[in-house]
Amino acid sequence: MTSDVGSPLRGIMFKILSVVIFVMMQTCIKAAGADVPAGQITFFRSAFALVPIIAYLAWQRDLRTAVRTERPFGHLKRGFFGILSMAFGFYGLVHLPLPEAIAIGYASPLMAVIFAALILGETVRVYRWSAVVAGLIGVLIVSWPKLTLFQDNGLQSQQALGAAAVLLAAVLSGLAMVQVRQLVRTEKTPTIVFYFSLTGALFSLVSLPFGWTALSGQQAFLLISSGLFGGVAQIFLTESYRHADVSAVAPFEYTSFLLGIVIAFVLFNDVPTLPMIIGTAITMAAGIFIVYREHRLGIERKAARKASAPPG
């Protein structure tokens, strides 16, 4: 998707809106309760996200374009990794304090750098490798107090499983991001957005025989709202990349942690711990540095292509 570099402030505004609405989505899922299976949450998140996404694509007159694809298997792979990541992430979300779940999830772009080097053969130099290592150390600082609770029982053990689940979700999300990088070479953004929600809804139905729970009216409302919020947030995220470069809007992703702290304190009486704050700060700094380096490398690649182009 091309970006309108003349309106970066609009792109940043859309990015911040997407972050706020994604956190609202996470809050709805957490408020629905830990007794709802992750597969059932994933279905509601994916299926009801299709409502605003289809409406948006129809309004943009992109719906017919979105359903056409040359790589259905590629979308299935992206959907498989993405839906597994979502399910594990939701399991962790309902068993961890909201800010911790968000902070551990920041490992996703770090894993994407690793998988891009291993799977796509992208060149990752020492600066980005150093940032990845530092970022993963930050994630470990956040998650380690929870992971050491495996020997305990009850709530603490559930939090340990939650931390492990979010870490696994970050690994799977990194694989999904690599798949998206392969898809964007031939597929349009509306197609990728549409098929992710569609495949997510279909894949999550596989969990139905394993025991979905009967929902109360409040739980159903919260889960439906999470899907609608997720779809709207995806639209705003897409619009942010339409108006500004990724390097300009990506750092604003980290505002989700601050918002998560406020919501967790007000709604769930969760107070941030010192390891959470220190580890998250390290991970944020590493993530921002990686975005900066990729931006600089992009400029250098464009300059090299321009210099090597034959005179016209």
Side-chain angles (χ1 to χ4, degrees), residues 232-283:
V232 172
Q234 185 64 55
I235 291 168
F236 281 129
L237 182 63
T238 302
E239 284 296 319
S240 74
Y241 295 139
R242 187 191 301 271
H243 294 285
D245 292 333
V246 174
S247 59
V249 301
F252 290 91
E253 175 67 31
Y254 297 112
T255 58
S256 61
F257 179 71
L258 301 177
L259 184 59
I261 287 178
V262 174
I263 292 176
F265 179 76
V266 173
L267 297 183
F268 307 111
N269 296 318
D270 291 329
V271 179
T273 63
L274 184 60
M276 183 200 306
I277 294 173
I278 293 174
T280 304
I282 294 172
T283 305

Side-chain angles (χ1 to χ4, degrees), residues 157-238:
S157 181
Q158 288 181 343
Q159 289 188 348
L161 288 172
V166 178
L167 286 171
L168 181 55
V171 173
L172 292 166
S173 178
L175 288 169
M177 289 180 186
V178 169
Q179 187 60 37
V180 170
R181 290 192 186 186
Q182 293 177 312
L183 285 172
V184 295
R185 297 171 182 171
T186 58
E187 302 289 279
K188 295 183 178 180
T189 300
T191 305
I192 296 173
V193 170
F194 172 77
Y195 277 106
F196 175 62
S197 290
L198 180 61
T199 56
L202 294 175
F203 277 133
S204 57
L205 282 175
V206 175
S207 66
L208 179 59
F210 297 96
W212 285 14
T213 186
L215 300 176
S216 67
Q218 181 180 0
Q219 287 176 317
F221 173 78
L222 288 168
L223 292 180
I224 291 171
S225 297
S226 74
L228 296 175
F229 282 142
V232 172
Q234 185 64 55
I235 291 168
F236 281 129
L237 182 63
T238 302

Side-chain angles (χ1 to χ4, degrees), residues 32-43:
D35 59 326
V36 183
Q40 189 173 2
I41 296 173
T42 304
F43 172 78

